[in-house]
Amino acid sequence: MTNPRLELALKQLHAGVWRDFEMFAAEFLAVEYPSLRSTAGANGDRGRDGEVYSIDGAPSIGAQYSVAQDFNAKIIGTLSRLKDEGLNYTHLIYATNQYIGADGDKVRERARVDFQVILDVRDRSWFLERENTYPQRAAASERLIARYADPLLAASGLRERTGTALSQDDGRVALLHLALENRDVETDRSLTRSCFDALVLAALHDTDSANTKTLKQLQEDVGRRVPTGVEGQVEALVAGTLKRLAKKGPIKHLRDSDSFHLAYGAAEEMKAKAAQFLLEENEVGDELRSVVEDTLGSDRAAKLDLAELRNSVEAVLFDRGEAFVATVNNGVPFQVDPDQVAGTLQRRKLPALVNLNELTAIVLAVLRTANVAVRRHLARLGDAYTLFAFLRQTPDVQKVVVEIFSEGDIWLDTSVVLPLIGETLIDDPSRREFTLLMRAASDAGLRLHVTEGVVEEVERHLNRGYVYASTNGSDWRGRIPFLYTAYVLSGGLPSQFNDWRNEFAGRSRPEEDVSDYLEEEFSISTRSLLHESDNAPLELRAALQELWNEAHDRRRTESSIRHRLVAHDVENSVGVIQYRKSLARSPMGHRAWWLTVDKTASRLGVYIKDRLGSQAPDSPTLSPDFLAQLIRLGPLRKAIEHETLIDLPSSTDMTLFDYATPALLAEAESVREKTHTDSERLLKRGVRDEMDRRRRQLGPAAVGGARALEARVLSAIEGKPAEASNAESSPVV
C-alpha cells in the first residue's frame, strides 16, 4: 500500500519549488544510477537536469525532472532542445510528480520514432511504489513529507481545507475525525461511542509527549462541540472514552500530571488517514473542475473561484445533515432536489460570476457524479455532517437512532420504481443508486411492496414509451416518457425500444409481468392496501382524496384517467396510515412507510394536521435520501455488507436522464451514427458519455426552466405530466 502522506506531498509541488523535486527525484534515481550527476550550471543545463556519467565521455542516458502538468509538451520540448544542443542520448529518464500512466504511451512512441530516444517515464506512482526500497529513498521521502505534507495535516492546516460549512475552526477538525472514525467503524458499534472517540481524538490532534492536555481541557474542548445534554453527561463520556482509549493504546495517560496525548503510532496512523482524506478532497476538486467546464465552458470556468464552488457543495451537505436530524425529530421528509439545493445556496453569498441556476446545477452534478471515489468521499463527509448535527442536539446519538424504525414494510411509489427499471441501462452496478438502496433495504430486513395501482402505472408508462418510439414523437403532447429517454440517451436504438420494454412487460399479461419482474429482481412484492384504505376514518380519506384531486388538477391530468391516479395515491397514503395502527415513540418509529419523491406527498403531514388538528396521524411518507442516510448510520446498517454500505449514495438522483427534449434525442441518434465501431457496447458507451456531457451543459437551463416544476424531472408516466409553472410536481412519473 502506498503512503498517502508522500502522495499528498508530491501533489503539493509546483513550478515555484521545482528544485525540491529535483533533489528528491535524484535521490531515488541515484540508487539505480550511482553515476548520475547534476548538469545545472551558470550557463544553463542545455535542456536536461542530469546525466549518467560515461567513461568514454559520451553519456547515453539523460534525466529530466519536471513538475509541469502538461507532460507531453514538456517532454517534446526537452527532446527538441537536446537534439538542437547536439546531446545524442539513447535514453531519457523523465521524472515527474504528476500521474501519467498509460497516457504516456503516445509520447513514448513519438520519442522513439521522431527522436530515436527510448523514453523512460518515472511518474508519481513510480516514486510511491519505491519509497521504502532503499534507506536513502525513505529518507528523501520523509524530508519531502515533513516540508509539504505534515503542515497540511496539523490542526491549523486542516482547518483551512475541511468542514468549510462550519464557522468554528476547531469544529472542522472534529468533523474530519467524525468522517475518519465513521469510515472504519464496525457496523454494530455504538454511534455514541464512535462519535466521542472522534471528538476526543480531534481534541488531541496535535499532542505528543511534550504537548499534552489535561482531562479538564479535553472535557471543555469536547463540550464546545456538544452543547446539550444533562449536567455532567458530556464530561462523563469524555472521561470514559479517555480511559478506554488509553487502555487500548491510541492514547497515552501521563499519571503524574494526569494529562493525555496521542501515542506515536496512533499519531502516524492519523496523519496517514488525514492525508488520504485530503487526497480524496483533491479528487472532489478535480471532479468539480470537470463539471464546471462541461456546464459553463472552459473560458468561464477559468475565471471562477473553485474554492468558493467547493464551499457550496459543503453547504448543501451541511444542510442535508441538519435536515436528516430534523426529520428524525418531526417526521417531515427531506430529499436533496433542485429546490432544496437552491434554497441552501440562496441563503449564502453566491460565488462571483455564477448565477443561482448554474450553481445549483453544478452542485447537483458533483453530488451525483459517476466517479465512485468522489461519491464515496462525499457520502462519508455527509455522514460526518449528520453526526455533527446530532451532537449539537444530544450527546447520546445512539439513543436517538435506535428509536428510528429498524424493521417493517415499505410501499414504493411509481416515482421510485421507474428509476429502478431505468438503472438497468447503467453498466456499472455501483452507479445504480436506487437499486443499491433497495437491495440494502431488503438486506436489512425491510419488506418492500407495491400496490396493483403502481404496477398499472409502471406498465402504462412503458406502453407510452412504446407509442412514442412507434410514432417517432410526431404529434406528441407533453413530456417525453422517462424510460424512453433513459433508453435512447444510454445509446439504445429507438427502433429497438420495444425489445427492451418486453423484458419487463409482454403483450399478453403485461401487469403480471411487471409484478413478477419486481419480485424476482428486487424482492418487491405486490401487496394491496385497498382494505386498509377503505376502512380508514372517513374524514382522513376525504381529506387526502381532496388533496390528490387538487394535485392532479394542477398537473393537468386528463380527466379520463385522473380518478384512477387519485385512487392509487389515496390507497398508498391512506392505506399506510391505516396499516400502521401502533404508534412508536417518535415520528420516525413507525413500521410502515410510503417511499416516494412526490412533492405533494412530502406535504402530507402538514396538510393532515391542518385539516384534522390534534387527531391527525403522522405522515406516511419516506424519502429515498432519508432512507439511504438511515441505513448508513442507523440500526439497519448492522445487516448490510460493508461495500454496499459505502456505495449508498449521499443524494439519490430521481431522474437519471433529465431535461430531455426531442432535439437532445435527435443529437443522441446523430452521435450514434457518427461513432465508428462494430462493438455495440462501445457504441452505447460513446453515445452515453457524449449525452452526459451535453446534459451537463443543459443543466442550468433545466434547473431554471423547471425548478417550479420540480426541476430535473422527466415526468412522463401517463396522466402525470409536469405541472404548471408555480405548482409542485410528481418527479419521474
Side-chain angles (χ1 to χ4, degrees), residues 150 154 200-214 217-218 250-254 256-257 259-268 270-271:
D150 285 350
V200 168
L201 290 173
L204 289 168
H205 186 87
D206 284 335
T207 59
D208 54 33
S209 59
N211 177 29
T212 63
K213 287 187 176 182
T214 66
Q217 288 175 319
L218 292 168
I251 291 176
K252 296 296 183 182
H253 182 198
L254 304 182
D256 55 345
S257 60
S259 60
F260 301 82
H261 69 85
L262 285 178
Y264 176 78
E268 292 298 294
M270 182 184 298
K271 288 178 182 178

Side-chain angles (χ1 to χ4, degrees), residues 493-553:
L493 269 173
S495 60
Q496 295 177 1
F497 174 80
N498 196 44
D499 294 336
W500 180 73
R501 163 186 173 266
N502 285 337
E503 295 180 21
F504 315 104
R507 293 184 178 181
S508 300
R509 290 179 287 184
E511 292 182 18
E512 183 177 330
D513 294 337
V514 170
S515 181
D516 289 345
Y517 172 79
L518 295 176
E519 175 74 49
E520 293 166 4
E521 293 296 320
F522 304 105
S523 300
I524 300 172
S525 66
T526 302
R527 181 174 176 180
S528 174
L529 285 169
L530 283 174
H531 175 76
E532 288 78 9
S533 177
D534 290 343
N535 286 278
L538 182 59
E539 60 272 19
L540 173 64
R541 184 178 176 84
L544 290 188
Q545 188 157 5
E546 181 179 338
L547 173 68
W548 288 114
N549 264 310
E550 292 174 355
H552 287 293
D553 184 53

Side-chain angles (χ1 to χ4, degrees), residues 219-481:
Q219 288 172 330
E220 290 176 349
D221 189 293
V222 174
R224 288 195 293 272
R225 313 285 157 255
V226 190
T228 60
V230 299
E231 184 176 355
Q233 185 179 18
V234 172
E235 290 79 1
L237 286 167
V238 171
T241 300
L242 288 167
K243 181 178 180 180
R244 176 166 43 81
L245 295 183
K247 184 177 181 180
K248 291 171 61 178
I251 291 176
K252 296 296 183 182
H253 182 198
L254 304 182
R255 298 186 183 280
D256 55 345
S257 60
D258 195 22
S259 60
F260 301 82
H261 69 85
L262 285 178
Y264 176 78
E268 292 298 294
E269 183 181 0
M270 182 184 298
K271 288 178 182 178
K273 289 182 178 180
Q276 184 60 44
F277 184 89
L278 292 183
L279 289 171
E280 292 169 1
E281 284 284 290
N282 286 337
E283 286 197 55
V284 175
D286 293 341
E287 179 66 16
L288 177 60
R289 183 179 295 105
S290 174
V291 167
V292 172
E293 289 177 351
D294 282 350
T295 305
L296 305 178
S298 56
D299 291 341
R300 285 191 64 194
K303 300 175 184 178
L304 295 175
D305 185 341
L306 288 181
E308 286 189 336
L309 299 180
R310 179 70 182 86
N311 292 345
S312 297
V313 176
E314 295 253 349
V316 171
L317 291 176
F318 175 85
D319 271 16
R320 183 185 179 282
E322 295 279 322
F324 180 83
V325 175
T327 299
V328 171
N329 292 331
N330 59 33
V332 177
F334 80 93
Q335 181 74 17
V336 179
D337 60 22
D339 285 338
Q340 186 270 336
V341 172
T344 292
L345 300 175
Q346 206 164 22
R347 290 192 295 271
R348 296 170 180 259
K349 183 180 178 181
L350 290 179
L353 307 178
V354 61
N355 63 43
L356 181 61
N357 292 338
E358 292 169 338
L359 185 58
T360 300
I362 289 167
V363 169
L364 285 169
V366 172
L367 290 177
R368 296 162 178 173
T369 175
N371 187 314
V372 175
V374 170
R375 200 165 63 241
R376 286 181 173 182
H377 179 75
L378 291 175
R380 286 191 290 262
L381 192 56
D383 291 346
Y385 274 116
T386 301
L387 292 173
F388 200 87
F390 265 125
L391 288 166
R392 290 167 59 183
Q393 296 198 14
T394 175
D396 196 348
V397 179
Q398 184 68 19
K399 182 179 179 181
V400 175
V401 297
V402 297
E403 293 180 353
I404 308 173
F405 67 91
S406 57
E407 60 176 315
D409 297 272
I410 297 180
W411 275 264
L412 310 184
D413 184 41
T414 311
S415 61
V416 175
V417 176
L418 289 182
L420 282 175
I421 295 176
E423 285 180 345
T424 62
L425 298 162
I426 300 176
D427 295 331
D428 183 357
S430 69
R431 292 185 58 194
R432 298 174 184 173
E433 298 172 351
F434 278 80
T435 303
L436 281 169
L437 181 56
M438 292 303 102
R439 296 208 186 284
S442 182
D443 290 347
L446 295 173
R447 296 174 294 275
L448 307 177
H449 315 290
V450 289
T451 63
E452 290 89 344
V454 167
V455 170
E456 178 189 335
E457 291 184 17
V458 171
E459 189 280 321
R460 287 290 82 199
H461 178 86
L462 286 164
N463 187 65
R464 279 169 62 84
Y466 166 68
V467 172
Y468 187 94
S470 301
T471 62
N472 199 28
S474 59
D475 298 323
W476 186 264
R477 299 180 63 185
R479 285 186 176 267
I480 304 168

Side-chain angles (χ1 to χ4, degrees), residues 532-572:
E532 288 78 9
S533 177
D534 290 343
N535 286 278
L538 182 59
E539 60 272 19
L540 173 64
R541 184 178 176 84
L544 290 188
Q545 188 157 5
E546 181 179 338
L547 173 68
W548 288 114
N549 264 310
E550 292 174 355
H552 287 293
D553 184 53
R554 289 194 303 272
R555 294 169 188 172
R556 297 171 183 165
T557 305
E558 297 175 19
S559 58
S560 59
I561 58 174
R562 180 183 303 168
H563 74 282
R564 294 197 59 77
L565 296 174
V566 171
H568 296 164
D569 289 329
V570 169
E571 178 186 357
N572 277 294

Side-chain angles (χ1 to χ4, degrees), residues 518-685:
L518 295 176
E519 175 74 49
E520 293 166 4
E521 293 296 320
F522 304 105
S523 300
I524 300 172
S525 66
T526 302
R527 181 174 176 180
S528 174
L529 285 169
L530 283 174
H531 175 76
E532 288 78 9
S533 177
D534 290 343
N535 286 278
L538 182 59
E539 60 272 19
L540 173 64
R541 184 178 176 84
L544 290 188
Q545 188 157 5
E546 181 179 338
L547 173 68
W548 288 114
N549 264 310
E550 292 174 355
H552 287 293
D553 184 53
R554 289 194 303 272
R555 294 169 188 172
R556 297 171 183 165
T557 305
E558 297 175 19
S559 58
S560 59
I561 58 174
R562 180 183 303 168
H563 74 282
R564 294 197 59 77
L565 296 174
V566 171
H568 296 164
D569 289 329
V570 169
E571 178 186 357
N572 277 294
S573 53
V574 177
V576 168
I577 291 174
Q578 186 67 11
Y579 179 77
R580 282 176 169 174
K581 290 303 183 181
S582 60
L583 296 177
R585 289 170 292 174
S586 73
M588 299 309 300
H590 297 295
R591 297 186 178 184
W593 293 93
W594 182 29
L595 188 68
T596 178
V597 292
D598 190 291
K599 275 290 188 179
T600 297
S602 69
R603 297 192 297 109
L604 278 181
V606 174
Y607 180 85
I608 296 171
K609 283 181 171 54
D610 287 345
R611 290 292 301 267
L612 304 182
S614 60
Q615 302 302 313
D618 292 323
S619 171
T621 58
L622 188 70
S623 71
D625 277 8
F626 180 88
L627 182 59
Q629 183 70 86
L630 172 63
I631 290 175
R632 283 204 306 272
L633 292 182
L636 293 169
R637 67 179 183 161
K638 297 178 183 179
I640 310 299
E641 291 184 2
H642 181 68
E643 286 300 309
T644 300
L645 206 61
I646 63 177
D647 275 332
L648 284 174
S650 60
S651 166
T652 49
D653 184 350
M654 73 285 293
T655 62
L656 293 178
F657 304 92
D658 39 1
Y659 200 59
T661 64
L664 189 61
L665 298 183
E667 285 188 47
E669 182 64 18
S670 175
V671 171
R672 186 182 178 92
E673 291 174 355
K674 294 176 182 177
T675 303
H676 303 292
T677 177
D678 294 329
S679 169
E680 183 65 20
R681 181 175 59 84
L682 294 179
L683 182 61
K684 287 184 177 180
R685 182 193 301 169

